[in-house]
Amino acid sequence: MIRSKTGLLSSLAIASAMLASVAAASADPVRIGVANFGEHSQLNIAIEGFKHALTEAGYEEGKDVTYTVSHTNFDASLVPQMIAKLQSEQPGLIYTVTTPVSQIAQKALAGSGIPIVFTAVTDPVAANLTPSWDEGGEGITGSSDLQDLAAVMQFTRELMPEATRLGIPYNPGEANDVVLVENARELASAAGFEIVAVGVDNINDIQQRVASFAGKADVIYVPTSNLLQPAVAAVAAAARQAGIPIVNADDGAVRDGVVPASFAVNYTKVGENAGKIAVRILKGEDPKSIAPSKPAYEDHVMVISRKAAKEFGLEIPAALDNCECFVD
């Protein structure tokens, strides 16, 4: 039997397609290492949002992608060990959660060829993760959780119309916290606030430092600080004793009845933004060509606890009665 050239080419094309199909079907799933700083509602939600974005893009967990999730219980000294362990699994990408973890991973993985996508980083430029807001760094980019501070102040003004002094506890050793205070000072005048900032660099000093706001601040804003958020119950206890209401950067503490109110970034969206960036990298884009993302205004939510407001002596204005933001 003599096969025509056309028929031969057709057969070869079919065979090639079949081989490609078999190769694709048998390809190992992409490995992604998840380096978290510690177990916390915001950070865990950002991880779930990340996974959801990959699932939506067609990366089915267990089939197309596998995740190794690790954390150090907020112990920075253990982060290098965590990164080294994740690197040993030869992942296609490492997802770093929080600024300290991302900074350590950036140094540890330099030149490794393993791309990094960060999240829960307030200002990647100030943290030296990216050279600007318009481009990624060498092998690294991701999603910021930078809150719209002007909107935070607007909500605080609606919640406490007579307040003029906004207290902000912050960790002087954390780049995110320092940048937030600087930004708050720039925006305060237009919002009708004076900023009173108090440094807290050790959880054992929370009671004393928060107590120092007494007579100096009308309301306290607790930022997305890796030191303060895990200890927000202690911050709230000290603020309640001082008779100063709190607006928190995390709504979890409001839902738990610990603080009266929050105007917070939706960390599901922050994680999803990081996941979308990860998909682009997995499909071949250079992290350096991808600008870090910021949450849009609509990525924030306000939450109020009537129970906690009463405990703090805060009377909720009637203008907020229909906000659909109450959790109790």
Side-chain angles (χ1 to χ4, degrees), residues 245-268:
I246 285 177
V247 172
N248 198 42
D250 172 25
D251 60 14
V254 186
R255 298 180 189 280
D256 292 338
V258 176
V259 300
S262 67
F263 189 85
V265 168
N266 183 335
Y267 275 79
T268 297

Side-chain angles (χ1 to χ4, degrees), residues 108-311:
L109 297 175
S112 69
I114 300 173
I116 299 170
V117 174
F118 58 72
T119 200
V121 171
T122 300
D123 190 331
V125 181
N128 295 316
L129 297 173
T130 64
S132 74
W133 282 99
D134 300 318
E135 61 180 324
E138 290 293 340
I140 184 169
T141 188
S143 68
S144 165
D145 62 357
L146 182 67
Q147 290 188 302
D148 186 333
L149 277 179
V152 171
M153 292 182 188
Q154 179 183 335
F155 168 69
T156 304
R157 168 70 57 226
E158 293 171 2
L159 184 67
M160 298 184 64
E162 303 301 320
T164 59
R165 300 172 299 177
L166 180 62
I168 303 179
Y170 74 104
N171 180 3
E174 188 171 334
N176 286 349
D177 289 25
V178 174
V179 170
L180 183 140
V181 171
E182 292 173 353
N183 291 342
R185 292 189 191 282
E186 293 176 2
L187 297 168
S189 180
F193 282 111
E194 171 194 348
I195 301 300
V196 181
V198 171
V200 183
D201 52 15
N202 190 305
I203 58 173
N204 296 323
D205 295 333
I206 287 176
Q207 169 66 38
Q208 177 185 358
R209 301 295 173 83
V210 174
S212 72
F213 282 118
K216 300 177 182 178
D218 304 308
V219 56
I220 292 173
Y221 172 65
V222 184
T224 54
S225 168
N226 289 307
L227 174 71
L228 296 171
Q229 281 302 326
V232 70
V235 177
R240 188 166 55 246
Q241 187 173 352
I244 308 173
I246 285 177
V247 172
N248 198 42
D250 172 25
D251 60 14
V254 186
R255 298 180 189 280
D256 292 338
V258 176
V259 300
S262 67
F263 189 85
V265 168
N266 183 335
Y267 275 79
T268 297
K269 295 295 295 183
V270 172
E272 288 177 351
N273 291 342
K276 291 175 183 177
I277 288 173
V279 169
R280 294 171 61 183
I281 293 172
L282 292 174
K283 290 185 176 180
E285 288 192 50
D286 184 348
K288 189 174 178 59
S289 69
I290 304 174
S293 69
K294 294 180 184 178
Y297 176 84
E298 56 270 20
D299 293 340
H300 296 69
V301 291
M302 66 174 70
V303 181
I304 299 174
S305 166
R306 287 189 177 93
K307 174 179 174 291
K310 185 176 181 180
E311 292 176 353

